[in-house]
Amino acid sequence: MTMRSARSTVTFSNAFALREYAGQLPAGDYEIIVEEELLEGFSFETWLRTATYLMVGHSDSQPGLAEMRAVSDRELVAVLSRDGAMTQTRQNSEAALSPLEDRT
């Protein structure tokens, strides 16, 4: 069995919560780790995602204090979408409330 891992970083602009964990996580950058397994027997290379983890509590100032929290791809996409929608709504509200520029 051949396995591989990929790392990426996502940025949350707002505090967010994950369904299976209590409490909210603060806005900021979070590392995502995706693990995949090579499916054999195909005439082309095919990988099956076996796990996705969100690294919580990791920071450059305190390395080694991170927790890997399992998260489904569906939930991760939903949380990121909600975060983007909240950020967009806030930006639209701020733009609507900002004073008009005097062009005289």
Side-chain angles (χ1 to χ4, degrees):
M1 175 182 339
T2 303
M3 302 287 290
R4 71 179 181 185
S5 294
R7 294 175 182 261
S8 61
T9 302
V10 295
T11 301
F12 289 95
S13 299
N14 305 284
F16 65 99
L18 297 173
R19 223 178 341 181
E20 296 184 19
Y21 299 97
Q24 284 204 332
L25 296 169
D29 295 334
Y30 288 83
E31 185 177 17
I32 302 293
I33 299 174
V34 174
E35 294 182 350
E36 298 174 314
E37 175 184 338
L38 179 63
L39 297 178
E40 298 179 17
F42 291 92
S43 60
F44 52 89
E45 196 172 89
T46 303
W47 294 88
L48 173 67
R49 184 172 292 190
T50 57
T52 303
Y53 299 101
L54 179 72
M55 300 299 290
V56 176
H58 174 73
S59 71
D60 293 332
S61 62
Q62 296 180 324
L65 296 177
E67 174 187 352
M68 291 176 69
R69 293 192 179 180
V71 62
S72 71
D73 296 333
R74 181 176 290 188
E75 183 176 15
L76 184 59
V77 167
V79 170
L80 286 166
S81 293
R82 279 194 302 271
D83 182 67
M86 288 173 54
T87 301
Q88 185 65 38
T89 299
R90 185 180 319 122
Q91 289 172 349
N92 290 343
S93 296
E94 289 172 359
L97 295 175
S98 62
L100 294 174
E101 188 177 308
D102 185 12
R103 296 181 183 239
T104 59

